[in-house]
Amino acid sequence: MTRPTRAVIDLEALSHNATLLRKLAGSRRLMAVVKADAYGHGLVDCARTLSPRVDAFAVAFLDEAVVLRQAGLGDRILVLEGPMDVAEADSFAELGLWPVVHRAEQLSWFEQSPTGTPEGLWLKVDTGLHRLGLEIDTLSELVSRAESMAPVTLMSHLACAGDVDDPLSQTQMRRWQAATERFDLPTSLLNSASSLLADNDESQWLRPGYLFYGGQPDGLGSDLGFRPVMRLTSAVIAVRSIAAGERVGYGGRWLAQRDSRIATLPIGYADGYPRAARDGTPVLVGGHKVPLAGRVSMDMMTVDVTEHPDIQVGAPAQLWGDTPGVDEVATHAGTIGYELTSQVTARVPRWLNTGSEPGGLPHG
Ligand SMILES: *Cc1c(COP(=O)(O)O)cnc(C)c1O
């Protein structure tokens, strides 16, 4: 028998979430952010599922868009960091990609490109995140230069997207308003967390990523019916009884306060389960929510199953999915669910669950 650890990708849940987002978007157009291998869920399979349900995709950089084109996907694709250099700029028109222009120099590359100009240009405005974007006071000149090449869309990105009442969100929204009202151009501001909050946003494009995968950005979305797309699963490969006073795992971090039963799962930080997870992090084993006991090691982890004598070797385990949710696990590890799904490593086989069979099909 092979190691039972796998990431099961539920493409039906992905479609379901897309339908919910479509409703949320109302009359706005819907872009699915599929950067970082669709947040670790598998870029091409997710994009094929989403293609009929969204108006465009967004990826971080050119190579990610090339993967989609090579897989035969003809959708509109926005490249969030735009071209890295003049040579890359030539590929945008060739491959039919929309670049984000966040630096004036990128516009010059397109003006000089021998392959022609892209079909659309998205100008990114720095409203206060201070990561990428054009200065607001340079915008007029750059918009006219861009408009002479292709249709222009304006975009920006919020630093505290989950909290529109945060003073920084208020400042960014004010600057965004001032920057965009001078032009009669389509706009795009909101990602997952903010899309649930800002009913009165007038942007033409909604630009979520995490909600497609059923995550709960900033604790939002739990009651809205989004379903987790990834289930990280394994099974018990050893169970032992230890006496009170014994310690478990590297560093002896977990101390048995009573005579205990410890179950071992063949999944560790080299699979993407976070080493930072603290004792007590919930794991579903044999249908019971049990606590992590001891430090996560490279290939294995241990849980306290003292309360559940029915848990034996072979009992199925779920590291995240519906229970516990990836965001709950992330909280116990001092991070966010985005980091956990996108860091599931290549040695974990992805299994596609297309809806019909619970186990699904292995997928390379
Ligand atoms: C990643 C990203 C998004 C999507 O963010 P989510 O929180 O996953 O919805 C939207 N816009 C930009 C610029 C991004 O980098």
Side-chain angles (χ1 to χ4, degrees):
M1 197 188 97
T2 53
R3 187 175 78 133
T5 300
R6 63 184 71 130
V8 182
I9 304 301
D10 184 350
L11 295 177
E12 221 178 46
L14 184 64
S15 309
H16 166 83
N17 296 341
T19 305
L20 292 184
L21 278 163
R22 177 56 84 188
K23 284 203 191 106
L24 205 72
S27 60
R28 289 174 286 194
R29 289 200 270 177
L30 181 60
M31 174 175 276
V33 181
V34 293
K35 61 193 178 188
D37 199 28
Y39 294 40
H41 295 73
L43 174 58
V44 170
D45 290 317
C46 288
R48 288 208 175 107
T49 299
L50 291 175
S51 176
R53 296 174 172 83
V54 300
D55 301 302
F57 291 120
V59 295
F61 53 93
L62 181 63
D63 287 356
E64 294 183 325
V66 170
V67 171
L68 289 175
R69 286 288 181 260
Q70 283 174 346
L73 283 141
D75 306 71
R76 289 180 281 196
I77 304 173
L78 179 67
V79 179
L80 292 167
E81 291 164 18
M84 298 284 163
D85 57 28
V86 65
E88 271 201 10
D90 293 341
S91 302
F92 281 76
E94 282 170 344
L95 295 172
L97 307 174
W98 291 340
V100 167
V101 171
H102 61 82
R103 210 148 57 87
E105 196 183 6
Q106 291 173 311
L107 213 50
S108 325
W109 296 338
F110 291 119
E111 285 165 339
Q112 293 155 22
S113 174
T115 57
T117 48
E119 290 154 25
L121 291 165
W122 284 49
L123 299 198
K124 183 163 192 174
V125 188
D126 184 4
T127 52
L129 178 60
H130 299 320
R131 189 175 65 179
L132 291 184
L134 307 163
E135 300 294 323
I136 289 176
D137 57 13
T138 64
L139 211 52
S140 290
E141 185 232 325
L142 296 172
V143 165
S144 24
R145 273 171 61 192
E147 276 189 308
S148 70
M149 284 188 273
V152 172
T153 303
L154 296 177
M155 69 179 282
S156 192
H157 198 43
L158 297 175
C160 305
D163 185 0
V164 282
D165 295 325
D166 187 281
L168 182 49
S169 297
Q170 295 290 318
T171 301
Q172 285 195 265
M173 306 275 240
R174 204 171 49 246
R175 290 176 183 161
W176 171 245
Q177 186 78 31
T180 53
E181 69 189 4
R182 294 180 283 149
F183 309 100
D184 185 22
L185 293 173
T187 56
S188 175
L189 178 65
L190 304 178
N191 68 344
S192 290
S194 49
S195 62
L196 294 174
L197 294 173
D199 288 335
N200 51 359
D201 170 67
E202 284 162 10
S203 296
Q204 281 71 25
W205 282 92
L206 210 58
R207 209 175 66 226
Y210 199 47
L211 279 176
F212 277 101
Y213 312 106
Q216 297 173 13
D218 296 332
L220 300 166
S222 55
D223 46 353
L224 293 168
F226 287 94
R227 288 182 2 213
V229 174
M230 182 188 288
R231 277 196 304 128
L232 186 64
T233 65
S234 190
V236 173
I237 58 163
V239 181
R240 74 203 56 253
S241 297
I242 61 168
E246 292 292 316
R247 292 178 176 274
V248 174
Y250 286 128
R253 185 176 75 179
W254 192 82
L255 170 68
Q257 303 284 348
R258 56 181 175 178
D259 293 350
S260 301
R261 281 176 84 240
I262 297 296
T264 303
L265 306 172
I267 178 166
Y269 63 78
D271 301 297
Y273 192 89
R275 184 175 179 274
R278 291 185 283 267
D279 288 334
T281 303
V283 179
L284 195 70
V285 181
H288 307 286
K289 220 171 178 182
V290 298
L292 178 71
R295 187 165 284 155
V296 173
S297 51
M298 183 179 273
D299 314 302
M300 285 174 275
M301 55 190 279
T302 39
V303 292
D304 175 9
V305 298
T306 311
E307 308 274 334
H308 305 289
D310 56 307
I311 294 176
Q312 301 292 345
V313 168
Q318 178 163 289
L319 290 309
W320 60 69
D322 48 356
T323 310
V326 69
D327 298 283
E328 185 182 355
V329 175
T331 302
H332 284 267
T335 183
I336 56 175
Y338 293 65
E339 187 177 44
L340 298 190
T341 62
S342 65
Q343 288 192 357
V344 172
T345 62
R347 81 174 187 178
V348 177
R350 265 50 169 196
W351 282 44
L352 289 186
N353 187 348
T354 49
S356 41
E357 290 169 66
L361 310 162
H363 192 80

